[in-house]
Amino acid sequence: MSDSVQSEQSVQSVQFDLDAYLRRIGWEGERRADAATLRGVQLSHMRAIPFENLDALRRQAPSLEEADLMAKLVHGRRGGYCYEHNTLFARALEALGFRVALLTARVVVGADSIASRPRTHMALLVEVPGEPRPYLADAGFGAIGALLEPVPLVTDVEFAGAGRRHRLVHVPHDGPLEMWVLQAHDQGKDDWADQYAFTLEPFEKPDFDVINWHIGTNPRSPFTQRVYVQSVSAARHLLLHGSLLTDTRADGTVTERVVTGEAEARRLLEEEFGIAVPEGMTLLPTGGA
């Protein structure tokens, strides 16, 4: 077999399978490049594919190659973290006819200042044909303040989507581009909480290859320290962080409990989060701490 034939077959083998992706997320709506489809596909993605850091917990940077993302997130009963989710989501949006740019953001949940955090989050800027402004879309933010539906890129307007409230604001900073901050409404405190900050400079795949390697392998990365998995449904947001399981219901009710050991942690991931735990992996430290 000639090298050219092998190369052509290799390219064909890794082509994005939109049908398989849409089956995975349960989307049966229109396949149009419009705002309704954008919102519906992101919400379906968020509710179907869990957020998880199992590769990073083993100090392995997960592959961002298209074929590997399809095998893991679409066919493999696994989830991923932001680079995996949003790389896959971006590819689906492009297949549906949207124009997508990759953005980097500084996660500022709980931070004293924006400048104290590096740019380690991937978000998407999506152009919708016929719409006057692009949308901020994001299927991979691993926090309860995550967008469940995209929002137009406009400041100081509150958006309600799938039971959550968000807005975008501008904040001053030293730099030539405007600094945007995504804020989520904290129902318990009846206040707005910063989620992440970003500018509109587009980044490319090689940039995220470097960031992904850092977050997935650095022993000081938060994702290499302890298990972090979440799932989202219409009824609740479920998070396992280390041994603490937090269940936040749609009405704002929060319950917490400590997972007592490895067997229970594996059962939770399999049954509650829909994650096939890799063979031989330890989820919790000895004693479940």
Side-chain angles (χ1 to χ4, degrees), residues 23 51 55 72 119 161 163 168 175 180 192 196 198 200 202 238 270-271 288:
R23 284 195 301 271
F51 185 101
D55 288 348
K72 181 183 177 185
R119 292 192 186 216
L168 292 165
W180 298 76
W192 293 93
Y196 55 78
F198 61 96
L200 299 186
L238 192 64
E270 293 279 354
E271 298 178 4

Side-chain angles (χ1 to χ4, degrees), residues 5-59:
V5 172
Q6 287 180 324
S7 176
E8 182 179 353
Q9 290 182 345
S10 176
V11 170
Q12 291 175 347
S13 69
V14 299
Q15 285 183 338
F16 180 77
D17 188 340
L18 181 62
D19 290 337
Y21 169 80
L22 294 179
R23 284 195 301 271
R24 171 70 165 103
I25 68 171
W27 175 252
E28 298 179 347
E30 297 288 347
R31 299 188 182 190
R32 298 175 180 170
D34 59 22
T37 299
L38 176 61
R39 288 191 295 268
V41 171
Q42 177 171 318
L43 179 60
S44 297
H45 181 125
M46 293 286 289
R47 288 178 172 174
I49 308 179
F51 185 101
E52 51 109 324
N53 69 328
L54 300 190
D55 288 348
L57 193 59
R58 296 182 292 170
R59 305 286 172 88

Side-chain angles (χ1 to χ4, degrees), residues 49-117:
I49 308 179
F51 185 101
E52 51 109 324
N53 69 328
L54 300 190
D55 288 348
L57 193 59
R58 296 182 292 170
R59 305 286 172 88
Q60 297 175 3
S63 172
L64 303 183
E65 296 303 318
E66 192 170 286
D68 295 327
L69 292 174
M70 289 293 295
K72 181 183 177 185
L73 276 70
V74 174
H75 299 297
R77 289 192 70 240
R78 289 286 304 278
Y81 57 16
C82 70
Y83 319 118
E84 299 169 274
H85 278 280
N86 280 330
T87 299
L88 182 67
F89 183 40
R91 186 65 186 88
L93 294 180
E94 290 169 342
L96 288 166
F98 296 94
R99 292 185 61 184
V100 182
L102 309 180
L103 305 178
T104 59
R106 303 178 188 275
V107 178
V108 293
V109 177
D112 294 329
S113 68
I114 290 174
S116 68
R117 297 285 179 84

